[in-house]
Amino acid sequence: MPESPVDPKPAPGASPAASRLPLAGLRVLDLTLARAGPTCVRHLADWGADVIRVEPPGANDALGGPRDGFDFVNLHRNKRAIALDLKNPAGHAAFLRLARTADILVENMRVQVKHRLKIADEHLRPLNPRLIYASISGFGQTGPYATRGGVDQIAQGMGGLMSITGEPGRGPMRVGIPIDDLTAGNLLALGILLALYERERTGLGRYVHTSLLEAQVFMLDFQATRWLMDGHIAGQAGNDHPVNIPMGVFPTADKPINIAASSPKLWEVFCRALERPEWLEVPEWKTPQGRSKDRARVNATVAEVTRTKPSEYWIARLEEVGIPCGPINNIKEVFEDPQVRHLGMAMPMRHRRRGDIQVVASAINIEGLETGVYRDVPELGEHADEILAEAGFTADEIRDLRASGALGAA
């Protein structure tokens, strides 16, 4: 078997700074909007793929917020852009030419939209058998809800998350981030990589898809299997762990902290660290199951002790004896935390109008490689001419496309 080259050949138009990253040489057509699809594509862009964002001419803020806004910049760094009207016959034909040379296409339109535009997998597969076509929908590509539009909070509700989030008796509660959008995007990126690996053996692409609802049901994890295997319908547990006690939020003399000391060994160490060895002799508390049943009394008794000293004291004391614990930070405090600083989760970026800013870094670490922002967020249609030229369009063809209204401003 021939050796793989050390440096993969970058795709035309790829950033030189990305040429050593794992996905260098791959071309991605990005038709995503909102958050779930862009979350997927951001993984590909950050790790070296040549991502071409395809937007309609005159695309407005509804496609991801103001182009200079925090959300758009964080989601759409490291891409090139073309503004192409897929409803225009000339624009549609131009898109098909781009699709012939693409490795991956990612979209999160409503299921019926891509079929109406004639850009679904079934339309592109005959043109490019190697294409990995990747989709995110609200509820799945088929089935009784397939044509419904879906957003994160709807999936949180339908997928059970809101029924187990929040304090008992307070009613359903959404979580504070769009967890279904983010999870669906992460899972689709994983599916794309699986299909890429298979393509190395077969030479053929696949249709890869997930949905917000599937992502949410998957993320129910042990709460789902409590029902599937034991018939237990979980409810809201607030800041307590649903089954492990004590594990949750406890008061201190200044601000609350999280403590996790539920296993038999940790419970013993915890009682001694709090100088309460007599808790080990309480009959109801001798087993995890007993402490879980008596959680209200356990939590109240622990809180009486923890509120006597400040948070830093308890964190230092419990860390010293191996009890997992930590502060409850606001977002500002997160990025001031020394470990978060060490991990480099605030990634520097130079923006053409906003200057030196920071965005959220990739959470994937590959030893010997480092990702970053190597390309600014593109203007609408900024790279149209070079993208089309790379696909074999002549200067006259590009002028004709623009004159037809199919191609937006460069």
Side-chain angles (χ1 to χ4, degrees):
M1 180 180 293
E3 293 186 2
S4 300
V6 174
D7 292 312
K9 183 180 179 181
S15 167
S19 63
R20 288 185 60 85
L21 294 176
L23 301 183
L26 293 173
R27 172 160 289 178
V28 180
L29 295 181
D30 173 16
L31 281 76
T32 66
L33 47 84
R35 184 176 315 280
T39 295
C40 167
V41 178
R42 180 173 57 187
H43 286 295
L44 309 179
D46 280 356
W47 288 100
D50 175 26
V51 174
I52 298 171
R53 181 161 173 77
V54 181
E55 299 174 278
N60 57 33
D61 292 353
L63 295 178
R67 296 190 94 83
D68 291 350
F70 60 87
D71 212 13
F72 198 97
V73 170
N74 189 52
L75 286 170
H76 297 295
R77 70 228 188 182
N78 292 332
K79 299 179 181 180
R80 297 191 290 163
I82 182 171
L84 204 57
D85 184 357
L86 302 183
K87 297 177 182 178
N88 182 306
H92 184 266
F95 177 78
L96 295 183
R97 286 178 66 175
L98 293 178
R100 289 179 184 273
T101 61
D103 294 285
I104 302 160
L105 181 149
V106 186
E107 60 85 20
N108 61 331
M109 307 170 185
R110 285 200 187 200
V111 171
Q112 62 270 37
V113 172
K114 58 178 169 284
H115 292 281
R116 187 165 64 240
L117 292 173
K118 297 190 186 311
I119 57 168
D121 177 70
E122 65 193 58
H123 302 111
L124 304 186
R125 183 72 46 203
L127 305 177
N128 183 355
R130 289 177 53 82
L131 181 68
I132 293 163
Y133 193 109
S135 301
I136 296 176
S137 62
F139 305 103
Q141 297 296 313
T142 59
Y145 302 162
T147 59
R148 291 188 186 181
V151 297
D152 179 88
Q153 187 159 338
I154 304 301
Q156 285 194 33
M158 294 179 68
L161 181 60
M162 293 174 68
S163 74
I164 57 174
T165 303
E167 297 177 347
R170 294 288 296 273
M173 182 69 65
R174 70 180 291 275
V175 301
I177 58 171
I179 190 168
D180 294 338
D181 283 343
L182 299 172
T183 301
N186 293 337
L187 290 173
L188 191 68
L190 175 60
I192 289 169
L193 298 181
L194 293 173
L196 281 170
Y197 184 76
E198 185 197 38
R199 195 179 73 173
E200 290 297 303
R201 300 196 311 272
T202 66
L204 299 174
R206 288 278 189 182
Y207 183 24
V208 181
H209 53 87
T210 189
S211 67
L212 303 187
L213 184 58
E214 288 169 286
Q216 178 51 68
V217 175
F218 170 79
M219 288 293 283
L220 287 177
D221 196 61
F222 77 95
Q223 296 283 43
T225 51
R226 289 175 77 188
W227 160 251
L228 293 172
M229 295 177 64
D230 294 339
H232 182 89
I233 301 175
Q236 294 165 303
N239 287 320
D240 292 333
H241 190 278
V243 295
N244 298 327
I245 304 296
M247 185 183 295
V249 176
F250 293 90
T252 73
D254 53 356
K255 60 182 182 178
I257 60 173
N258 277 312
I259 299 173
S262 61
S263 73
K265 180 176 178 56
L266 288 179
W267 170 245
E268 179 179 353
V269 173
F270 180 68
C271 293
R272 299 190 188 285
L274 268 61
E275 299 180 350
R276 296 297 189 276
E278 65 271 18
W279 292 352
L280 297 171
E281 304 306 319
V282 178
E284 298 89 342
W285 298 357
K286 286 183 175 293
T287 66
Q289 294 80 8
R291 292 193 295 276
S292 183
K293 289 180 180 178
D294 201 22
R295 70 169 61 210
R297 188 159 66 109
V298 172
N299 286 345
T301 306
V302 171
E304 288 178 5
V305 178
T306 58
R307 63 166 46 99
T308 62
K309 290 184 171 59
S311 57
E312 288 189 1
Y313 170 86
W314 288 120
I315 290 172
R317 175 72 181 122
L318 296 176
E319 280 291 332
E320 182 183 18
V321 295
I323 301 293
C325 61
I328 299 172
N329 294 327
N330 63 31
I331 305 301
K332 177 177 180 289
E333 291 166 336
V334 168
F335 287 98
E336 292 172 345
D337 184 278
Q339 184 65 23
V340 175
R341 287 180 179 272
H342 171 77
L343 294 172
M345 291 305 298
M347 185 165 62
M349 171 180 173
R350 179 73 180 176
H351 189 274
R352 70 187 81 202
R353 282 182 292 276
R354 299 192 63 164
D356 291 325
I357 60 173
Q358 293 178 313
V359 292
V360 181
S362 173
I364 299 170
N365 300 292
I366 302 177
E367 289 296 314
L369 296 174
E370 185 175 350
T371 186
V373 180
Y374 47 84
R375 192 188 292 279
D376 198 358
V377 176
E379 297 292 287
L380 179 65
E382 178 180 349
H383 305 96
D385 288 25
E386 68 182 57
I387 290 168
L388 292 170
E390 292 161 11
F393 285 75
T394 66
D396 287 342
E397 286 177 311
I398 295 172
R399 279 194 296 270
D400 290 344
L401 266 176
R402 191 161 278 120
S404 74
L407 185 63

